Structure formats: C-alpha cells, structure tokens
Amino acid sequence: MSAVSDAVRITAPGNPVSRSIRDSLIVAKRNLIRMSRIPEVVIFGLIQPIMFVVLFTYVFGGSMKIDGSTSAEGYKNFLMAGIFAQTVTFATASSGAGIADDMHKGLIDRFRSLPMARGAVLTGRTLADLVQTALTLLILAVVALLVGWRVGTFHDTNAGRVLAAFGLLLLLGYAFTWIGALIGLTVRTPEAATSGGLVWLFPVTFLSGAFVDTSNMTPWLRHIAEWNPFSATVQAARVLFGNPGQSHSTAWPMEHPVWASLIYSVLIVVVFRTLAVRKYRSATA
C-alpha cells in the first residue's frame, strides 16, 4: 500500500516522460520490496544454472571439442557465457508469471485507479526483474570463478570489457523480459504464463552456440544457430571475456557479435514493449 500511496502523492500533471519515469520507479520499488520478502525465489533461481554448470562441465566437458581440443578447462571457459545468458533469459518465465498473477488478483485494476502512466506498471515490473537478474548473475559469476572459470584465457581482456559483457547479458535478459510480459498479459493464469514462458526458451537457448560450437552442426541448423539473437550475445560475451568462441563462422552476427547483440536486444525491447503496452491497455480498458 505504501507504493500506491506514494504514486498518488507524487504523480501530478507535468512532463509525460518524467511522469512515466517516476511512476515506473515507484512500481519497481514496490516489486523489489515484495521480492525481498521472498528470498527463496532468488535461491531457487540459482539452483538450475549451478546444476547446468556442474553437469555440462563435469559430465559432458571431456567429450566436447573446442578449438580442436577436448580439454575440460577449455570447455568450461567456453561454456560459462552460455550459462550466464541462459540464466538471464530464463528469468523471463518468472516475469511473465508475476504479471499474470497481478492480473489474476486484480492488482492491475488497483493501479488503473491511480493517475499514473499506463506503461509504468509493466516498465516498473521489468526493471525490478532486471535488478533481481543482476543479483543472480553476480552470485553465479562468483560460483563460476570457484569452479575454475577465468577471463582472458583466449586473448587479453580488461575490467571494462568484462563489465561490458555483463551489460550485454543483462540487456538481453531485459529484452526477453518484455516477451515474458506480453505472454503474462495474454494468458489467463500464472501457471500458463510459466509454461508459455519456458516452451519457447528451450529451443532458443539450445538451438544456439551457447553449449556447442556451431561448426559441428549440419549446415541448415548452423545457419539458424548463428543468426539466433541468443547466440550473438553469447559470442559477444565470450569475445569480451577473452574466452574461446565460435570457430570458422562467417555469419555476420558471429563476426560482429557486440554490434549484433546490441541491435538484436534493442529491436526486441522496442517491438515487444510496444506490443505489451498495447496489450495491457486493451486488456484493462
């Protein structure tokens, strides 16, 4: 209720952009307070990526060829960018479920009664999810260091490039969160939002260069994987981390992964934010 009261108190006629920013931050604060009261969400969100790190590194690592070598250490450094990207994108499912839950409980109708920007409800929710994802990514990076992941194993890097890599990963996660928001507004129950948020993520993340070198795929499958937005961000992170990446690829996103990652993520945000806000307005009209 305090967040709702704050919204009533500070929202006043003025610049629409500044009003939208203020309203979005208020909704984000409200969601962060609620998330802080259920820390098990973060804990359970960490279990899956940690399991993937252990399984892929110690079960499959010895049989995966990276740069012609089957070294477990080489695969570990190749793998981590994919695990990071998978972690930030899988947060999409919980985001969609949260929005569907708010719709189901009528909380969205309560926000409608306030003099606030319509898009602020969704923007605030996605910003709060971004903060939670950043915390999860930080903890996962510490775990990765503990199991032997290192930056600069393939070529030199620096702190600025490493931070840029994490920035691109978070941008991709934020972009995919808007897809989850659209799903959450489209379905009728939180359970359906969770299922709908995961069913498309598995082919996107596994039909990519996240866990295997795409040069080992059949030609038609390799082309799909190399032009996958998820692959572009993973490859960009590897380049910035100084870890081994995709070999012998002439696809533009693989040759210019940083630019490809930025373009893909910004386009996804623009397209799916527009669709989600339009769906929100029609669903609550």
Side-chain angles (χ1 to χ4, degrees):
M1 289 298 294
S2 61
V4 175
S5 300
D6 289 343
V8 174
R9 184 174 66 252
I10 74 168
T11 304
N15 187 306
V17 175
S18 62
R19 285 185 57 191
S20 179
I21 293 173
R22 286 197 304 266
D23 295 343
S24 298
L25 292 177
I26 289 169
V27 177
K29 178 182 176 182
R30 171 252 175 193
N31 280 285
L32 286 172
I33 292 173
R34 186 174 67 172
M35 290 174 182
S36 68
R37 294 171 179 168
I38 44 176
E40 58 268 24
V41 173
V42 177
I43 295 173
F44 289 135
L46 280 169
I47 292 175
Q48 178 176 290
I50 291 174
M51 288 176 59
F52 272 111
V53 170
V54 174
L55 289 174
F56 276 86
T57 300
Y58 297 107
V59 177
F60 304 114
S63 60
M64 295 290 187
K65 285 189 176 182
I66 303 298
D67 294 328
S69 170
T70 56
S71 166
E73 290 299 317
Y75 182 67
K76 187 184 302 180
N77 290 311
F78 174 88
L79 171 71
M80 286 314 306
I83 296 293
F84 290 149
Q86 184 191 55
T87 300
V88 299
T89 54
F90 270 44
T92 299
S94 62
S95 176
I99 291 174
D101 188 50
D102 287 346
M103 292 283 290
H104 184 69
K105 292 179 177 178
L107 185 61
I108 299 299
D109 290 331
R110 293 168 62 190
F111 279 118
R112 286 183 61 203
S113 66
L114 301 174
M116 63 189 300
R118 288 293 180 91
V121 174
L122 299 179
T123 303
R125 173 74 201 204
T126 56
L127 288 175
D129 288 333
L130 179 63
V131 172
Q132 180 179 340
T133 301
L135 176 61
T136 303
L137 191 59
L138 174 62
I139 297 173
L140 184 60
V142 173
V143 173
L145 290 171
L146 292 176
V147 299
W149 170 66
R150 296 292 182 268
V151 299
T153 56
F154 194 69
H155 59 75
D156 291 337
T157 188
N158 54 52
R161 291 169 65 88
V162 171
L163 290 175
F166 283 116
L168 287 177
L169 289 166
L170 289 173
L171 180 60
L172 178 72
Y174 182 71
F176 276 32
T177 298
W178 281 106
I179 302 178
L182 180 61
I183 294 173
L185 291 168
T186 303
V187 301
R188 297 183 180 181
T189 64
E191 293 79 10
T194 301
S195 300
L198 290 175
V199 70
W200 64 276
L201 278 173
F202 277 101
V204 167
T205 54
F206 284 96
L207 186 54
S208 71
F211 308 113
V212 296
D213 190 335
T214 56
S215 63
N216 297 321
M217 297 180 179
T218 56
W220 67 270
L221 199 60
R222 183 176 68 248
H223 293 316
I224 295 175
E226 290 174 341
W227 285 87
N228 183 344
F230 187 82
S231 294
T233 299
V234 172
Q235 179 71 356
R238 287 175 180 143
V239 169
L240 294 171
F241 285 146
N243 291 155
Q246 303 298 328
S247 60
H248 312 299
S249 175
T250 58
W252 186 85
M254 296 296 100
E255 292 186 328
H256 308 277
V258 175
W259 281 110
S261 176
L262 283 170
I263 292 170
Y264 276 137
S265 295
V266 170
L267 281 176
I268 292 171
V269 170
V270 171
V271 171
F272 283 92
R273 186 185 188 280
T274 301
L275 294 175
V277 172
R278 184 177 300 172
K279 181 66 177 179
Y280 170 78
R281 287 173 175 169
S282 65
T284 59

